[in-house]
Amino acid sequence: MSGLEAYLYALDWNNNTSVTVMALVSYDYILQFDKEVTFVWQRQWSAMSYLYLVVRYLGIILAMLTKIQPCYGMFLFMEWGFSVYSCLTEVILIWRLYVIYNKSKLILYALLGFFLPIVGLFIALMAGYKVQEITLTPNIKYCTASFHIGPATAVYASIPVICFDIFLVVLAIIVLKKHLKEQKELQVKPNTYIVMIVRYHVIYFVLYAQTVVMSFILLFKYTAPLIIVPRLIISIWDTHANENCVHVSTTFEDCVCWTSPPPDLELPEIA
C-alpha cells in the first residue's frame, strides 16, 4: 500500500468511526436530556452540577469534532480536550470516593497527592506532541501527530495513570465489600448509591484499561468515557429522586441515603 493509499484508508476509517461516535454520544444525550433538565437546570446549582455540564458538553463537542478533518489548531484542541476530559473524570471519581469514605480527609488528601502528578504527566505528554500537516492533494490536507519523546516513552508514561485508576477501583471495591458485610449483619439492604458508585468505577476502569491495552479499538476509546462519566453523576440524582430516604445529607444528598432502615429503627416523620 502506497503512502497516499494509506492516508486515504486512515481518513476513511476516521470518517466511519467518527459517525458512530457522534451517533452514540448524541443518542445517550437524548436519553438523558429530560433528567438533565430536572436535576441540573431546575435545581440549585452545586459544584457537581458544573462538573456535569462540563463533561457532558465538552464530550459532545469532542464527539462532533471527530467528524471534522483535523487541521493543526483543531488537532491540538481535540488532544488537549481529551486530556482535560480525562482529568475531570478522575476528579469526579475522587469526589465520589471521598463521599463514600464518609468524607475522610485522609482519603481525599492521599488521592489528590497521587492525582496532581498525573495532571503534570498529562501536561508533559501534550507538550511532547508533534503535529505534522500532510498534503494529500493541493486541496486536501490532513494532520497527524507523534511524540517528540518517542512512542515507547509515551506508552510507559501511561502506566502511572493505569496504576492510579487501579488504586481508585480497589478503594471502591474495598468500601463496597465492607459495606455489604455491615449491611448483611444488620439484615439491611445495601446502600443503592454506594453500589452504583462502585459499579461505575469498575465499568470506567474496565473500559479505560481496555482502550489502553487494545488501543486499536478506537470506538470504545473515544465513545465510552463520553457516555459513562455524565451517567456517573446524573444516575445518582435520578436514583435519589425516586428513593424514600430516611436520612439525607444536605451537602451530598445523592450519596448517603439509606435504602432501607435497620430493624427496630423509629423513622422520623417526614413533613
Side-chain angles (χ1 to χ4, degrees):
M1 183 181 292
S2 67
L4 178 60
E5 290 175 339
Y7 286 129
L8 291 175
Y9 177 80
L11 286 173
D12 182 62
W13 167 253
N14 180 69
N15 285 336
N16 294 336
T17 304
S18 299
V19 171
T20 307
V21 169
M22 186 59 197
L24 290 174
V25 174
S26 300
Y27 179 67
D28 181 72
Y29 175 71
I30 293 172
L31 291 179
Q32 300 297 313
F33 182 72
D34 60 330
K35 296 178 182 178
E36 178 182 316
V37 172
T38 302
F39 303 126
V40 178
W41 301 106
Q42 295 180 354
R43 284 179 52 173
Q44 183 177 357
W45 287 68
S46 64
M48 190 58 69
S49 300
Y50 291 109
L51 274 175
Y52 172 82
L53 291 177
V54 172
V55 296
R56 168 54 79 190
Y57 288 97
L58 177 59
I60 292 175
I61 292 172
L62 293 174
M64 293 174 62
L65 292 180
T66 57
K67 186 68 180 70
I68 300 175
Q69 300 302 335
C71 62
Y72 179 83
M74 188 68 68
F75 196 97
L76 287 180
F77 176 81
M78 290 177 62
E79 294 302 322
W80 277 101
F82 275 106
S83 295
V84 170
Y85 195 96
S86 298
C87 290
L88 290 175
T89 299
E90 303 293 353
V91 169
I92 293 170
L93 295 178
I94 290 172
W95 193 331
R96 292 309 190 192
L97 275 178
Y98 166 67
V99 170
I100 62 178
Y101 269 90
N102 296 320
K103 303 179 187 177
S104 169
K105 297 295 184 182
L106 177 61
I107 289 292
L108 178 62
Y109 296 150
L111 293 179
L112 290 178
F114 287 118
F115 174 63
L116 292 179
I118 298 296
V119 175
L121 185 60
F122 274 117
I123 295 174
L125 286 176
M126 292 307 305
Y129 258 115
K130 178 178 67 176
V131 180
Q132 179 183 4
E133 190 175 77
I134 299 172
T135 301
L136 301 179
T137 69
N139 298 322
I140 300 177
K141 296 181 180 180
Y142 189 71
C143 286
T144 61
S146 59
F147 285 99
H148 290 294
I149 56 179
T153 306
V155 172
Y156 295 147
S158 66
I159 294 177
V161 181
I162 298 176
C163 292
F164 181 70
D165 284 328
I166 292 175
F167 181 53
L168 293 182
V169 78
V170 168
L171 286 178
I173 292 174
I174 289 175
V175 74
L176 176 63
K177 183 177 179 181
K178 179 181 178 182
H179 174 72
L180 293 177
K181 181 179 179 181
E182 292 175 349
Q183 298 301 91
K184 184 177 181 180
E185 292 175 353
L186 294 173
Q187 298 182 347
V188 179
K189 292 173 60 178
N191 186 302
T192 304
Y193 307 100
I194 293 180
V195 175
M196 184 181 301
I197 291 171
V198 175
R199 181 171 70 240
Y200 276 103
H201 267 266
V202 173
I203 291 174
Y204 178 80
F205 171 75
V206 170
L207 293 176
Y208 180 78
Q210 178 181 347
T211 59
V212 173
V213 177
M214 306 174 67
S215 60
F216 62 87
I217 307 181
L218 298 177
L219 175 61
F220 290 102
K221 180 177 181 180
Y222 293 112
T223 304
L226 307 183
I227 294 176
I228 292 296
V229 178
R231 282 177 172 264
L232 171 62
I233 300 174
I234 206 165
S235 59
I236 298 290
W237 291 333
D238 183 39
T239 303
H240 179 271
N242 295 283
E243 192 71 47
N244 293 323
C245 301
V246 176
H247 171 69
V248 179
S249 167
T250 56
T251 305
F252 297 98
E253 63 177 8
D254 50 0
C255 296
V256 289
C257 171
W258 290 348
T259 58
S260 177
D264 301 327
L265 177 66
E266 295 184 2
L267 302 182
E269 295 183 1
I270 302 178

